[in-house]
Amino acid sequence: MPRIGVARDGAEPSSADQRERHVRILDAAAHLATEHDLAHVQMTEVAKRAGVAIGTLYRYFPSKTHLFVGVMLHRLERFARYRRNPAPDRGLSAQDAICEALIEMTRELVAHPSLALAMLQSNSTAAAGAVPDSVKIEEQFQSIVLDAAGITDPTDADRDVLRLLSMLWYGVIIAHLNGRSSLEEAESDIRRSCRLLLVNLAA
């Protein structure tokens, strides 16, 4: 499991050049995690592949956990941008639209199993106070599913249900990645979860 060696948040890029380096680091980490499991991804190799100094890497990402939580957030943000163009299918019910978005995200995640495990393991061990991007992941997840459903003014109860759905979704994906279910079974579990949890979702 990844460990957090330094209890501090990483620096945020503030210029175009810094943002470009930041994205290069995230992309390098993601590519390495498709080749190796998390334990064998080395920060020095990430820095080398990204073309940055190791100090620059640690300034943005104080630990491997920070790094792969950042990778997951970056992937969700990219997925959210993709989902907004074209617009969600308004012919679906709110529940069905959320379910389809989750299945689409699932297929994208599990296309690279070792990377998916690296992201999910890192996020599951990240304390919110030490790795603030873990909180942003939950916010981004809710934004994606609310946008998919066309819900602009969710209630507190809606948000509570979606928080539970995100936890269940992570568990379903991890079970599949660990060989305990097929992709078809995982998708069936997601559909069943949506039917059970979203029955009272505001539309």
Side-chain angles (χ1 to χ4, degrees), residues 31-184:
H31 285 130
L32 283 168
T34 65
E35 301 167 3
H36 311 286
D37 61 36
L38 182 58
H40 292 94
V41 174
Q42 301 298 318
M43 296 291 270
T44 51
E45 184 61 27
V46 173
K48 179 180 178 182
R49 188 167 295 198
V52 302
I54 190 67
T56 299
L57 171 58
Y58 277 112
R59 182 161 65 89
Y60 293 129
F61 304 103
S63 73
K64 203 187 297 187
T65 297
H66 287 82
L67 177 58
F68 280 95
V69 169
V71 172
M72 185 169 183
L73 178 60
H74 182 60
R75 297 262 159 158
L76 288 177
E77 289 171 342
R78 188 176 65 183
F79 181 83
R81 290 193 297 270
Y82 163 77
R83 287 283 301 181
R84 292 189 187 108
N85 186 24
D89 182 354
R90 300 302 178 184
L92 295 175
S93 69
Q95 294 89 339
D96 287 344
I98 288 174
C99 186
E100 293 307 313
L102 290 182
I103 288 175
E104 190 175 350
M105 281 196 289
T106 299
R107 290 173 180 171
E108 183 170 313
L109 277 175
V110 304
H112 302 288
S114 62
L115 171 58
L117 274 174
M119 293 187 294
L120 292 169
Q121 287 173 354
S122 296
N123 192 50
S124 69
T125 60
V131 190
D133 276 355
S134 64
V135 176
K136 294 178 184 177
I137 283 174
E138 178 59 28
E139 293 170 351
Q140 185 63 72
F141 175 89
Q142 292 216 2
S143 177
I144 288 169
V145 295
L146 289 169
D147 284 350
I151 296 173
T152 58
D153 189 21
T155 66
D156 289 342
D158 291 339
R159 291 196 178 278
D160 284 344
V161 167
L162 294 178
R163 178 176 54 83
L164 293 174
L165 181 63
S166 71
M167 294 176 184
L168 198 153
W169 179 61
Y170 295 151
V172 168
I173 295 173
I174 288 174
H176 167 65
L177 293 171
N178 287 335
R180 295 198 294 272
S181 66
S182 67
L183 182 57
E184 292 77 12

Side-chain angles (χ1 to χ4, degrees), residues 180-199:
R180 295 198 294 272
S181 66
S182 67
L183 182 57
E184 292 77 12
E185 289 169 333
E187 291 182 6
S188 177
D189 287 341
I190 291 168
R191 293 185 189 281
R192 187 178 301 113
S193 300
C194 288
R195 287 197 301 270
L196 291 171
L197 286 177
L198 303 180
V199 62

